[in-house]
Short mmCIF file of all heavy atoms in Angstrom, two decimals:
data_model
loop_
_atom_site.label_atom_id
_atom_site.label_comp_id
_atom_site.label_asym_id
_atom_site.label_seq_id
_atom_site.Cartn_x
_atom_site.Cartn_y
_atom_site.Cartn_z
N ASN Y 1 13.07 103.89 167.84
CA ASN Y 1 11.97 104.05 169.00
C ASN Y 1 12.24 103.11 170.07
O ASN Y 1 13.04 102.15 169.94
CB ASN Y 1 10.56 103.85 168.39
CG ASN Y 1 10.20 104.80 167.25
OD1 ASN Y 1 10.68 106.05 167.21
ND2 ASN Y 1 9.32 104.35 166.39
N SER Y 2 11.73 103.28 171.19
CA SER Y 2 11.78 102.41 172.31
C SER Y 2 13.25 102.14 172.52
O SER Y 2 13.62 101.01 172.70
CB SER Y 2 10.95 101.16 172.17
OG SER Y 2 9.62 101.51 171.89
N LEU Y 3 14.15 103.11 172.68
CA LEU Y 3 15.48 102.80 172.72
C LEU Y 3 15.85 102.31 174.16
O LEU Y 3 15.22 102.47 175.14
CB LEU Y 3 16.32 104.16 172.64
CG LEU Y 3 16.37 104.57 171.17
CD1 LEU Y 3 16.77 106.05 171.02
CD2 LEU Y 3 17.45 103.79 170.48
N LYS Y 4 16.84 101.34 174.11
CA LYS Y 4 17.34 100.74 175.36
C LYS Y 4 18.73 101.02 175.51
O LYS Y 4 19.48 101.42 174.64
CB LYS Y 4 17.13 99.15 175.06
CG LYS Y 4 15.82 98.69 174.75
CD LYS Y 4 15.83 97.28 174.32
CE LYS Y 4 14.53 96.68 173.97
NZ LYS Y 4 14.44 95.26 173.55
N PRO Y 5 19.14 100.92 176.75
CA PRO Y 5 20.62 101.25 177.15
C PRO Y 5 21.61 100.31 176.23
O PRO Y 5 22.71 100.88 175.80
CB PRO Y 5 20.71 100.80 178.58
CG PRO Y 5 19.44 100.98 179.03
CD PRO Y 5 18.33 100.64 178.09
N GLU Y 6 21.15 99.23 175.85
CA GLU Y 6 22.07 98.29 174.93
C GLU Y 6 22.09 98.87 173.53
O GLU Y 6 22.80 98.33 172.82
CB GLU Y 6 21.56 96.91 175.01
CG GLU Y 6 20.00 96.58 174.84
CD GLU Y 6 19.38 96.56 176.02
OE1 GLU Y 6 19.64 97.20 177.09
OE2 GLU Y 6 18.43 95.60 176.10
N ASP Y 7 21.36 99.80 173.17
CA ASP Y 7 21.40 100.53 171.88
C ASP Y 7 22.52 101.62 171.89
O ASP Y 7 22.80 102.15 170.76
CB ASP Y 7 20.13 101.24 171.53
CG ASP Y 7 18.92 100.19 171.23
OD1 ASP Y 7 19.28 99.13 170.72
OD2 ASP Y 7 17.81 100.43 171.75
N THR Y 8 22.98 101.84 172.97
CA THR Y 8 24.19 102.85 173.06
C THR Y 8 25.47 102.39 172.33
O THR Y 8 25.87 101.30 172.29
CB THR Y 8 24.71 102.98 174.49
OG1 THR Y 8 23.59 103.56 175.35
CG2 THR Y 8 25.91 103.83 174.63
N ALA Y 9 25.79 103.29 171.42
CA ALA Y 9 26.87 102.92 170.50
C ALA Y 9 27.18 104.11 169.60
O ALA Y 9 26.42 105.01 169.43
CB ALA Y 9 26.45 101.71 169.51
N VAL Y 10 28.31 104.01 168.68
CA VAL Y 10 28.46 104.90 167.62
C VAL Y 10 27.79 104.24 166.40
O VAL Y 10 28.03 103.07 166.16
CB VAL Y 10 29.94 105.07 167.37
CG1 VAL Y 10 30.08 106.02 166.24
CG2 VAL Y 10 30.56 105.77 168.59
N TYR Y 11 26.95 105.00 165.76
CA TYR Y 11 26.20 104.53 164.66
C TYR Y 11 26.87 105.01 163.35
O TYR Y 11 27.05 106.21 163.19
CB TYR Y 11 24.71 104.95 164.65
CG TYR Y 11 24.00 104.15 165.73
CD1 TYR Y 11 24.16 104.30 167.02
CD2 TYR Y 11 23.01 103.14 165.27
CE1 TYR Y 11 23.40 103.57 167.92
CE2 TYR Y 11 22.31 102.42 166.27
CZ TYR Y 11 22.59 102.62 167.61
OH TYR Y 11 21.87 101.85 168.40
N TYR Y 12 27.02 104.17 162.48
CA TYR Y 12 27.61 104.46 161.10
C TYR Y 12 26.81 104.26 159.96
O TYR Y 12 26.17 103.16 159.97
CB TYR Y 12 29.01 103.70 160.92
CG TYR Y 12 29.94 103.83 162.04
CD1 TYR Y 12 30.07 103.13 163.11
CD2 TYR Y 12 30.86 104.92 161.89
CE1 TYR Y 12 30.96 103.28 164.06
CE2 TYR Y 12 31.97 105.10 162.86
CZ TYR Y 12 32.03 104.26 163.92
OH TYR Y 12 32.94 104.50 164.91
N CYS Y 13 26.77 105.04 158.97
CA CYS Y 13 26.05 104.62 157.72
C CYS Y 13 27.08 104.26 156.69
O CYS Y 13 28.29 104.70 156.73
CB CYS Y 13 25.13 105.68 157.32
SG CYS Y 13 25.87 107.25 156.50
N ALA Y 14 26.71 103.51 155.78
CA ALA Y 14 27.66 102.89 154.67
C ALA Y 14 26.80 102.77 153.47
O ALA Y 14 25.67 102.61 153.45
CB ALA Y 14 28.22 101.70 155.36
N VAL Y 15 27.59 102.60 152.32
CA VAL Y 15 27.18 102.38 151.05
C VAL Y 15 27.79 101.09 150.62
O VAL Y 15 28.87 100.91 150.54
CB VAL Y 15 27.46 103.52 150.15
CG1 VAL Y 15 27.17 103.08 148.73
CG2 VAL Y 15 26.64 104.71 150.43
N LYS Y 16 26.98 100.29 150.02
CA LYS Y 16 27.35 98.93 149.24
C LYS Y 16 27.02 99.22 147.85
O LYS Y 16 25.89 99.16 147.52
CB LYS Y 16 26.79 97.71 149.93
CG LYS Y 16 27.43 96.45 149.35
CD LYS Y 16 26.71 95.31 149.94
CE LYS Y 16 27.40 94.02 149.56
NZ LYS Y 16 27.32 93.72 148.19
N SER Y 17 28.00 99.33 146.99
CA SER Y 17 27.79 99.49 145.56
C SER Y 17 28.15 98.52 144.65
O SER Y 17 28.01 98.48 143.51
CB SER Y 17 28.53 100.89 145.10
OG SER Y 17 29.88 100.75 145.30
N GLN Y 18 28.83 97.45 145.25
CA GLN Y 18 29.30 96.28 144.37
C GLN Y 18 28.71 94.94 144.84
O GLN Y 18 28.42 94.71 145.89
CB GLN Y 18 30.85 96.27 144.56
CG GLN Y 18 31.58 97.49 144.18
CD GLN Y 18 33.07 97.37 144.19
OE1 GLN Y 18 33.62 96.37 143.61
NE2 GLN Y 18 33.83 98.30 144.74
N GLY Y 19 28.51 94.03 143.72
CA GLY Y 19 28.15 92.79 144.08
C GLY Y 19 26.48 92.89 144.46
O GLY Y 19 25.80 93.78 144.13
N LEU Y 20 26.10 91.86 145.10
CA LEU Y 20 24.70 91.91 145.47
C LEU Y 20 24.31 93.05 146.39
O LEU Y 20 25.06 93.40 147.31
CB LEU Y 20 24.34 90.58 146.17
CG LEU Y 20 24.42 89.24 145.32
CD1 LEU Y 20 24.14 88.07 146.27
CD2 LEU Y 20 23.32 89.33 144.26
N VAL Y 21 23.30 93.66 146.17
CA VAL Y 21 22.85 94.82 147.01
C VAL Y 21 21.34 94.48 147.51
O VAL Y 21 20.59 95.37 147.90
CB VAL Y 21 22.84 96.13 146.27
CG1 VAL Y 21 24.14 96.61 145.97
CG2 VAL Y 21 21.89 95.99 144.95
N THR Y 22 21.08 93.24 147.68
CA THR Y 22 19.95 92.74 148.36
C THR Y 22 20.36 91.46 149.25
O THR Y 22 21.40 90.95 149.07
CB THR Y 22 18.74 92.12 147.45
OG1 THR Y 22 19.42 91.15 146.57
CG2 THR Y 22 18.27 93.36 146.52
N GLY Y 23 19.59 91.10 150.11
CA GLY Y 23 19.81 89.89 151.01
C GLY Y 23 20.74 90.06 152.05
O GLY Y 23 21.11 91.07 152.49
N ASN Y 24 21.26 88.70 152.36
CA ASN Y 24 22.05 88.63 153.62
C ASN Y 24 23.36 89.36 153.43
O ASN Y 24 24.07 89.77 154.38
CB ASN Y 24 22.33 87.31 153.89
CG ASN Y 24 21.12 86.54 154.53
OD1 ASN Y 24 20.25 87.12 155.14
ND2 ASN Y 24 21.10 85.28 154.32
N SER Y 25 23.85 89.69 152.15
CA SER Y 25 25.17 90.41 151.94
C SER Y 25 25.08 91.78 152.59
O SER Y 25 26.14 92.27 152.92
CB SER Y 25 25.47 90.46 150.47
OG SER Y 25 24.44 91.30 149.71
#
């Protein structure tokens, strides 16, 4: 919501399945 010109980008989704899957990682 409330998109800004600086939000312009290619957006990628990704999966993290190893190691910690919470927090800063």
Side-chain angles (χ1 to χ4, degrees):
N1 298 330
S2 303
L3 282 162
K4 305 175 181 179
E6 51 263 44
D7 294 318
T8 295
V10 178
Y11 284 71
Y12 300 89
C13 75
V15 168
K16 185 180 190 299
S17 62
Q18 300 184 50
L20 290 174
V21 290
T22 57
N24 289 335
S25 65

